[in-house]
Amino acid sequence: MLELDECRGGTEASDALVLFGVTGNLARKKIFPALYALAKRGVLDVPVVGVAASQWNSAQLRQRAKDSIAKSGGIDDQPALSQLLSRLHYVSGDYNDPETFQALKKVLGDARRPAYYLAIPTALFATVIKGIAAAGLADHARVILEKPFGRDLASARALNRVARSVFPENSIFRIDHYLAKEAIMNILYFRFANSFLEPIWNRNYVASIQITLSENFGIEDRGAFYETTGCLRDVVQNHLFQIVALLAMEPPTYREFGAVHDATATVLKAMRPLKAEDLLRGQYAGYRKEPGVAKQSDVETFCALRLFIDSWRWEGVPWYLRSGKYLAETIAEVIVQLKPPPQRLFADAAPLSGSANYLRFRLSPNSAVALAARVKRAGQEFIGDQHELYLLDERPGEEGPYERLLGDAMVGKGALFTREDSVEAAWAVVAPVLKDHQRVISYSRHSWGPKQADALIKADGHWHNPIHGQA
Ligand code: BG6
């Protein structure tokens, strides 16, 4: 059995959770709701210490937590909420100031195995890790690092060196929350729990693969963050590449989750570094007027790219990836396009070349798998229609990704976190285009991005725009 419970960094649970960047956007949108979900399940029974520069006190932090939980899904368990709020403490301070860590030490009191979650800009990771170590707070501790991990290959390597100089690898938890989404874990399961896919899952039968991750909203109040990040660093180098790795990986060779990490890392290492002509960058109309954004900003809010994996299985198969803010829908989907039948036997075959059969993984907002096939229409002629064999995979009440990941990290389970070599390999793929690229092309809000993205995929058909109403 694939051992999902693989434990790293010892099996003892962390006895405190420290949240650096607790006043930020991620904490508000994802972390407080995740903590509330853990509290409702009765598995959060440690002090939670928030650290940030703002001059807040613990009462203000509790209010922020309450507001964020109320906004995200509502408060439906008052005792769990009260319990969570009573565990929250706040430490205000500059991450460069040793005093901040001394104040933290005081608040941590008897805690001996804290977990430090760095939900802060990646440029501050090294400072905080060194501050933790200098204050003597690193022993038996775990560190959870939010993505993006570094901003290029060199900074990711430097960061890995700093993190490894303080924490053993098995106590470092690099987050890519996509790995903890049910629909994405299902890619691994669906591929290897069934036998019918494997014979066709290669360059002989697959014509191309498309992945779309689109959002119908903008950068919200994250202008300053987004200006240093952009779409390629924000979601392509991590979320989209991890999806590619799960779709492209070889079967795990042994029954521990380390085998999955090995197999996905191998895919990332086999990805061909991108060239400028493989990438199309766009920017939504009005982005430059967003707070925190430069008037002449060339930061991309949309990327479309063509990727190749130089492996026996995937040689020559193009992977088309696309993501953007302010697109037409908030939706994520994979289309694995199978090659057309070798002979065009029927009158209606010609114009359909290539589109007869595909496998579709809907990743969000719902989770589903569909296989498209043509079926004869009733009548004297041999013509037909395309239908989908459809597997509904809804799981109401499923654990959210941050709930899952925080819970796992606190008990040392590393299965759903990314490994150092994978992160670095992913940076190596995007390295050539981080600087060498065309200027952004403007696109209208709520469109599917710049028209020019069509040219990128033209040789293999067209972008498949996911339909919201379609399950
Ligand atoms: C984050 C990005 O990692 O993922 C955001 O920083 C993006 O820009 C988000 O909106 C998407 O995650 P989800 O879970 O909402 O699909």
Side-chain angles (χ1 to χ4, degrees):
M1 199 187 70
L2 191 59
E3 187 49 89
L4 259 169
D5 285 344
E6 176 207 22
C7 279
R8 305 160 54 170
T11 49
E12 277 194 294
S14 300
D15 57 3
L17 176 63
V18 180
L19 301 172
F20 287 91
V22 76
T23 54
N25 187 284
L26 185 74
R28 185 161 50 83
K29 281 184 78 172
K30 312 265 189 185
I31 302 174
F32 289 125
L35 294 179
Y36 175 57
L38 289 168
K40 283 205 289 186
R41 283 200 287 120
V43 292
L44 187 76
D45 53 2
V46 298
V48 179
V49 186
V51 187
S54 309
Q55 299 287 318
W56 284 15
N57 55 35
S58 296
Q60 280 168 294
L61 179 64
R62 290 184 190 123
Q63 189 58 46
R64 164 60 68 92
K66 201 169 155 185
D67 293 345
S68 117
I69 293 162
K71 201 165 171 209
S72 89
I75 295 164
D76 52 2
D77 186 339
Q78 196 58 50
L81 178 72
S82 307
Q83 198 205 47
L84 168 63
L85 297 183
S86 72
R87 293 184 189 288
L88 286 181
H89 308 276
Y90 186 67
V91 171
S92 139
D94 183 333
Y95 300 143
N96 281 297
D97 183 356
E99 282 303 313
T100 306
F101 296 89
Q102 289 308 324
L104 172 62
K105 194 173 195 169
K106 234 183 188 163
V107 176
L108 280 174
D110 292 340
R112 290 289 163 265
R113 300 180 307 280
Y116 301 106
Y117 182 3
L118 276 51
I120 53 178
T122 184
L124 294 171
F125 283 0
T127 307
V128 171
I129 291 173
K130 287 177 190 164
I132 292 169
L137 290 170
D139 290 349
H140 312 295
R142 298 186 170 112
V143 66
I144 306 164
L145 301 166
E146 187 49 53
K147 57 126 299 253
F149 188 84
R151 55 186 328 276
D152 53 22
L153 182 56
S155 57
R157 280 187 178 146
L159 204 48
N160 272 322
R161 270 197 301 275
V162 172
R164 294 284 290 268
S165 71
V166 173
F167 299 95
E169 173 65 17
N170 62 9
S171 296
I172 303 172
F173 296 80
R174 297 176 193 80
I175 286 198
D176 183 321
H177 76 282
Y178 269 51
L179 291 180
K181 287 185 179 244
E182 284 294 344
I184 290 171
M185 292 192 274
N186 188 45
I187 295 174
L188 173 71
Y189 186 86
F190 190 79
R191 279 196 58 201
F192 300 116
N194 298 304
S195 59
F196 66 90
L197 275 188
E198 181 55 19
I200 59 167
W201 210 249
N202 55 54
R203 67 189 185 290
N204 298 322
Y205 292 89
V206 175
S208 66
I209 298 183
Q210 289 188 32
I211 310 177
T212 296
L213 165 54
S214 70
E215 294 174 323
N216 69 1
F217 49 87
I219 52 162
E220 300 179 309
D221 51 358
R222 298 196 303 161
F225 161 78
Y226 210 81
E227 277 290 272
T228 61
T229 311
C231 179
L232 194 61
R233 290 185 172 94
D234 188 34
V235 296
V236 176
Q237 181 270 351
N238 32 69
H239 302 331
L240 284 180
F241 279 11
Q242 291 294 333
I243 297 172
V244 172
L246 288 167
L247 287 163
M249 66 186 269
E250 297 303 316
T253 47
Y254 55 93
R255 292 174 185 171
E256 282 169 25
F257 221 83
V260 177
H261 287 160
D262 289 342
T264 50
T266 303
V267 173
L268 290 158
K269 288 171 194 171
M271 283 181 184
R272 198 182 297 168
L274 293 168
K275 297 198 192 100
E277 60 267 29
D278 295 324
L279 174 69
L280 192 286
R281 297 162 72 248
Q283 187 185 77
Y284 64 75
Y287 171 75
R288 292 174 186 175
K289 295 204 179 97
E290 299 271 22
V293 169
K295 298 263 165 303
Q296 301 298 322
S297 175
D298 186 45
V299 168
E300 79 286 355
T301 61
F302 172 94
C303 279
L305 53 120
R306 179 178 45 220
L307 182 75
F308 289 93
I309 298 170
D310 290 323
S311 71
W312 190 281
R313 187 187 285 265
W314 295 114
E315 195 56 43
V317 178
W319 295 69
Y320 295 101
L321 276 45
R322 188 173 57 148
S323 183
K325 301 279 182 196
Y326 264 133
L327 296 185
E329 303 277 4
T330 297
I331 212 158
E333 194 162 88
V334 176
I335 299 282
V336 180
Q337 182 67 60
L338 299 178
K339 291 185 175 173
Q343 209 182 356
R344 293 177 180 175
L345 282 175
F346 305 110
D348 59 353
L352 298 162
S353 57
S355 68
N357 302 131
Y358 61 79
L359 194 72
R360 181 169 70 84
F361 291 93
R362 168 65 59 85
L363 305 177
S364 135
N366 57 313
S367 170
V369 184
L371 177 63
R374 292 194 67 78
V375 181
K376 188 185 170 303
R377 205 182 286 170
Q380 295 189 351
E381 288 182 274
F382 277 92
I383 55 172
D385 299 299
Q386 195 172 38
H387 293 276
E388 283 190 343
L389 300 166
Y390 183 76
L391 276 168
L392 186 65
D393 191 28
E394 295 293 359
R395 299 165 207 207
E398 72 190 32
E399 246 179 310
Y402 277 90
E403 176 190 354
R404 174 69 196 265
L405 290 174
L406 280 178
D408 277 10
M410 298 275 290
V411 295
K413 290 182 187 173
L416 300 178
F417 293 83
T418 56
R419 221 169 55 180
E420 178 178 359
D421 56 343
S422 285
V423 173
E424 291 183 5
W427 278 122
V429 178
V430 298
V433 295
L434 285 176
K435 289 210 178 91
D436 178 17
H437 49 232
Q438 86 338 296
R439 276 191 74 76
V440 289
I441 300 169
S442 179
Y443 61 93
S444 316
R445 294 182 182 207
H446 305 299
S447 69
W448 282 104
K451 269 262 142 275
Q452 288 84 336
D454 295 350
L456 196 71
I457 199 171
K458 209 165 149 220
D460 292 287
H462 56 85
W463 293 104
H464 172 97
N465 295 333
I467 305 164
H468 205 90
Q470 183 185 28

